[in-house]
Amino acid sequence: MQNLGIAMTGSGSAAPATFLDNQALTELVETSDEWITTRTGIRQRRLAKASETMTELATAASRQAIAMSGIDPQDLDLILLATSTPDDLFGSACQIQAQLGATKAVAFDLTAACSGFVFGFVTAAQYLKTGVYQNALIVAADVLSRWVDWQDRRTCILFGDGAGAVVIQANEKDCLLGFEIRSDGTQNNCLNLAYASEPAELIQGVNVGKGNFQPITMNGKEIYRFAVQKVPEVIDKALFRANLSVDQIDWLLLHQANQRILDAVAQRLNIPEHKVISNLANYGNTSAASIPLALDEAVRQSKIKTGDIIATSGFGAGLTWGAAIFQWGR
Ligand code: UT7
C-alpha cells in the first residue's frame, strides 16, 4: 500500500443563537459568576432550542468547511461525524450526507466524547493516506444541553452546544505530522452519560430492558488530574513521531474544557501563553465540537495561517485522549 499525504483545506463552525451567561445560571443553581469564571474561565455558553437539532448545527459547519476547501459536496468520499449526542441512536452522519447532497460519500458516526474530533481526524486521515479516498469531511457536533442535569452545579456550568468541521484532502506533502490516540476503560466511571435499564417483562420468564439515558455524571477532580497528566504525554509522543520539538509548535489547540487545564498543560510543555488558543469563555465545553470550533475561529481571524504547525489534543469520557500535530493548509 502506498503511503500518501493529507492536507487540511477547510474549516467551519456553527453554534445556536441562544446565549446563557453565568449570571443566568445563578437562577438555576447555587453558584456565582465569580466562581465559574475563576474555576473554569467560562463566561457564557450557547444552547440549542428544543426545535434545533445536532444535525442542523453539524450541517451548517460542514457547508462552511466545504466552501473554504473549494470542493463540491459531491467530491466527498467520506463523512465522519464525531458526536455523543446523535439525533438518532442509529447514527446521524447519513442525515448530514443527505442535507449536503454528498451522494458519493459514505457517512458514519464515531463516538469518542470530547476526544471525538482528534479520533475522527486521525481515522479519516488513514483512508486518505492509504490512497483509498481523496476527500473527507470530519464534522464534530454535540448538544450536551439535552443531557445535562440543570440542577447539578458541578456539571451544568461547564457545557455548551456547538459544531465544527474540517475538510481534509489527499496531498503530496503530508500535513498530519504525528499522532497518538489512547483509551482507558478502567476509569470509565469518572464521566458518564449512561443508559439505565429497567426490566420489562414481555411474557412470563422473558424480560428485556426498557430505560433511558441518565444525565451526565462526572468526577471533576479526577478528570482534571487525568487531563493535566495525560495530555502532555500524548503531545510529547506525537511530537516525537513528527520529529519536532515543542518550540516548533505555532499553536496549542486543546479541547476547550477549562482554562486552568489549558494553562496547566501549556505550562508543563513550556508553551508560552500567546500560543494557546482559547475561546471557551464564549462557548463553554462543547465536547467533540470544541477543537474544530476554536480552530475555525482562529483561521477566520487570520490567527492561524497556511503552514502553521498546530498541536491539538482532545480528552474526555471513555476515558479517551489523543493528540495530533498538523500543519494548516497545503
Ligand atoms: O470534557 C471533559 C469534561 N470535564 C472536565 O473537563 C472537568 C475537569 N474538571 C474541572 O474542570 C474542575 O474539576 C471543575 C470546574 C469541575 C471543578 O473545579 P474544582 O476546582 O475541582 O472544584 P471542586 O470540585 O474541588 O469544588 C470546590 C468547591 C466545593 O465546595 P467545598 O466542598 O470546598 O465546600 C464545591 O461544592 O466548590 C463547590 N462547587 C461550586 N461552588 C459554586 C462546585 N461547583 C460549584 C459551582 N458554584 N458551580
Side-chain angles (χ1 to χ4, degrees):
M1 198 85 77
Q2 306 171 66
N3 207 3
L4 307 166
I6 66 117
M8 198 180 279
T9 57
S11 67
S13 59
T18 308
F19 288 86
L20 189 79
D21 66 15
N22 292 346
Q23 195 54 42
L25 276 170
T26 63
E27 292 175 33
L28 287 173
V29 289
E30 205 184 317
T31 190
S32 64
D33 176 38
E34 205 248 329
W35 192 95
I36 302 169
T37 308
T38 52
R39 299 279 178 144
T40 72
I42 298 165
R43 293 185 181 276
Q44 61 179 29
R45 64 288 293 142
R46 308 277 281 267
L47 302 180
K49 290 188 177 56
S51 57
E52 281 176 303
T53 66
M54 183 279 298
T55 306
E56 282 165 7
L57 287 173
T59 304
S62 300
R63 283 194 213 286
Q64 291 180 6
I66 293 165
M68 190 190 285
S69 75
I71 62 165
D72 191 89
Q74 298 198 3
D75 297 326
L76 286 172
D77 303 298
L78 171 68
I79 297 172
L80 233 162
L81 168 67
T83 189
S84 303
T85 53
D87 296 324
D88 181 334
L89 270 189
F90 285 146
S92 291
C94 301
Q95 286 174 267
I96 296 167
Q97 174 198 13
Q99 289 188 22
L100 293 173
T103 47
K104 212 179 87 190
V106 60
F108 58 92
D109 292 31
L110 178 151
T111 309
C114 303
S115 309
F117 174 75
V118 172
F119 281 36
F121 171 35
V122 165
T123 303
Q126 306 313 306
Y127 287 93
L128 271 58
K129 279 170 170 276
T130 51
V132 176
Y133 293 145
Q134 300 293 304
N135 302 305
L137 170 76
I138 302 106
V139 51
D142 269 310
V143 181
L144 280 181
S145 62
R146 291 176 182 168
W147 299 107
V148 162
D149 175 354
W150 289 102
Q151 305 304 316
D152 178 5
R153 70 175 184 174
R154 293 163 303 170
T155 52
C156 77
I157 51 130
L158 295 175
F159 299 104
D161 303 331
V166 298
V167 166
I168 61 172
Q169 298 187 259
N171 196 50
E172 209 166 301
K173 181 175 128 197
D174 193 6
C175 298
L176 173 53
L177 307 170
F179 70 86
E180 171 79 357
I181 54 177
R182 303 293 306 271
S183 60
D184 177 7
T186 65
Q187 289 196 77
N188 180 268
N189 62 357
C190 290
L191 185 49
N192 299 101
L193 200 176
Y195 179 75
S197 191
E198 294 285 335
E201 194 164 65
L202 289 187
I203 54 170
Q204 202 179 4
V206 179
N207 81 61
V208 291
K210 283 273 172 214
N212 257 313
F213 287 93
Q214 300 300 299
I216 295 168
T217 57
M218 182 181 75
N219 182 334
K221 277 206 181 309
E222 278 303 318
I223 296 290
Y224 189 98
R225 227 171 299 171
F226 145 79
V228 171
Q229 186 199 342
K230 298 293 187 187
V231 168
E233 279 177 22
V234 280
I235 291 178
D236 269 340
K237 193 84 173 256
L239 279 171
F240 174 76
R241 298 224 167 96
N243 200 18
L244 290 173
S245 61
V246 110
D247 49 289
Q248 289 173 286
I249 295 173
D250 294 301
W251 302 106
L252 179 66
L253 174 51
L254 302 183
H255 166 48
Q256 305 283 298
N258 183 327
Q259 188 61 43
R260 283 158 55 214
I261 296 178
L262 270 54
D263 295 342
V265 169
Q267 200 181 2
R268 280 198 182 198
L269 289 168
N270 229 349
I271 295 175
E273 203 185 316
H274 69 267
K275 290 187 174 182
V276 180
I277 290 175
S278 171
N279 71 351
L280 59 83
N282 295 324
Y283 296 96
N285 177 344
T286 57
S287 192
S290 85
I291 293 172
L293 208 162
L295 171 76
D296 183 54
E297 277 197 356
V299 166
R300 286 174 197 274
Q301 291 163 356
S302 301
K303 249 169 111 169
I304 293 180
K305 298 190 181 64
T306 300
D308 280 1
I309 295 175
I310 301 160
T312 191
S313 178
F315 53 89
L319 298 183
T320 55
W321 67 105
I325 315 293
F326 66 97
Q327 232 171 343
W328 173 254
R330 283 186 200 276

